[in-house]
């Protein structure tokens, strides 16, 4: 019983420091927001959204044609991959590894 209590305390401590990619929304009940998404300003946010749309347009075309309004598809692809990288919850992965190890001990 004492080891289970220690394991639970360890889990709770781990939760505090590693389970933080999503936080409850202040605006919408039952919704969460990503805490690691950071932008240099509105223009950076807008260019990232534009890059996501441009890469999606390019991906759905199925040919090598690049619309003239997509000026720098290489930059759009890079910004899209950078955003995906920011969304990877590595701290939560460590937490889940801790939970898995604790569950195997029980």
């Amino acid at each position: 019983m004492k080891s289970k209590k220690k394991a639970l305390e360890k889990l709770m401590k781990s939760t505090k420091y590693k389970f933080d990619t999503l936080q409850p929304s202040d605006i919408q009940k039952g919704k969460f927001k990503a805490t690691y998404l950071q932008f240099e300003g509105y223009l950076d946010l807008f260019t990232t959204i534009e890059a996501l749309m441009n890469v999606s347009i390019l991906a759905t075309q199925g040919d090598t044609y690049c619309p003239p309004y997509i000026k720098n598809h290489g930059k759009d692809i890079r910004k899209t991959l950078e955003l995906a990288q920011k969304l990877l919850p590595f701290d939560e992965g460590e937490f889940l590894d801790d939970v898995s190890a604790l569950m195997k001990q029980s």
Side-chain angles (χ1 to χ4, degrees), residues 39-55:
F39 299 96
E40 294 174 9
Y42 283 102
L43 184 59
D44 185 36
L45 170 63
F46 294 162
T47 58
T48 301
I49 293 169
E50 180 186 40
L52 287 167
M53 291 186 299
N54 288 344
V55 168

Side-chain angles (χ1 to χ4, degrees), residues 79-93:
K79 283 190 83 64
T80 301
L81 293 172
E82 287 172 354
L83 176 62
Q85 185 180 39
K86 290 177 185 177
L87 293 172
L88 288 171
F90 286 107
D91 288 339
E92 278 83 346

Side-chain angles (χ1 to χ4, degrees), residues 20-63:
D20 61 351
T21 296
L22 294 178
Q23 295 295 318
S25 172
D26 299 331
I27 300 169
Q28 294 178 306
K29 185 177 180 181
K31 302 290 181 180
F32 294 85
K33 59 184 175 183
T35 59
Y36 287 108
L37 290 180
Q38 296 179 0
F39 299 96
E40 294 174 9
Y42 283 102
L43 184 59
D44 185 36
L45 170 63
F46 294 162
T47 58
T48 301
I49 293 169
E50 180 186 40
L52 287 167
M53 291 186 299
N54 288 344
V55 168
S56 298
I57 289 167
L58 291 169
T60 59
Q61 286 183 331
D63 60 21

